[in-house]
């Protein structure tokens, strides 16, 4: 299925995307800080560009599944742990319902 262009998203879809990205960013930052890592250190451990990590942590972009696994490996976390932390955000959890 082709990726929708940002301008083709409805306002509600855009809101959901932003809320989910913010929740994942907060979970990622918290996990990184718990381990006492800088953004540069995590990027190096995960073998990803520091700018990409910055964009994820600021909610400007989302992680691909492959990058999610790389970042989680560098944090010694299962991807499900990071996603569960993001899902614990009330607003993000609301995006899972059909309401």
């Amino acid at each position: 299925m082709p990726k929708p262009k940002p301008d083709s998203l409805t306002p509600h879809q855009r809101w959901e995307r932003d809320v989910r990205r913010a929740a994942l960013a907060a979970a990622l930052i918290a996990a990184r800080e718990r381990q006492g890592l800088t953004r540069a250190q995590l990027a190096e451990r995960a073998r990803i560009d520091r700018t990409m990590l910055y964009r994820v942590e600021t909610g400007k972009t989302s992680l691909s599944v492959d990058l999610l696994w790389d970042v989680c490996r560098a944090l010694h976390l299962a991807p499900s742990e990071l996603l569960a932390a993001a899902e614990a955000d009330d607003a993000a959890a609301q995006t899972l319902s059909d309401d």
Side-chain angles (χ1 to χ4, degrees):
M1 173 177 241
K3 180 177 161 183
K5 294 180 182 177
D7 58 350
S8 69
L9 298 175
T10 67
H12 183 72
Q13 288 171 319
R14 197 171 295 115
W15 173 81
E16 283 184 330
R17 182 186 62 187
D18 292 345
V19 165
R20 291 170 181 167
R21 285 179 178 183
L24 185 61
L28 178 57
I29 292 167
R32 176 176 59 76
E33 289 178 346
R34 271 194 307 276
Q35 295 199 19
L37 296 173
T38 66
R39 188 178 293 134
Q41 289 169 323
L42 177 56
E44 183 178 326
R45 283 186 182 188
R47 297 185 187 109
I48 65 171
D49 185 76
R50 188 173 59 191
T51 303
M52 175 60 173
L53 185 56
Y54 169 80
R55 291 180 53 75
V56 171
E57 286 191 348
T58 57
K60 292 181 181 2
T61 193
S62 57
L63 285 170
S64 70
V65 172
D66 291 329
L67 286 180
L68 175 67
W69 280 81
D70 292 341
V71 168
C72 287
R73 180 183 55 221
L75 290 169
H76 308 289
L77 293 174
S80 59
E81 291 177 79
L82 191 62
L83 291 172
E87 188 181 336
D89 178 275
D90 290 337
Q94 285 180 338
T95 69
L96 295 172
S97 70
D98 290 333
D99 299 339

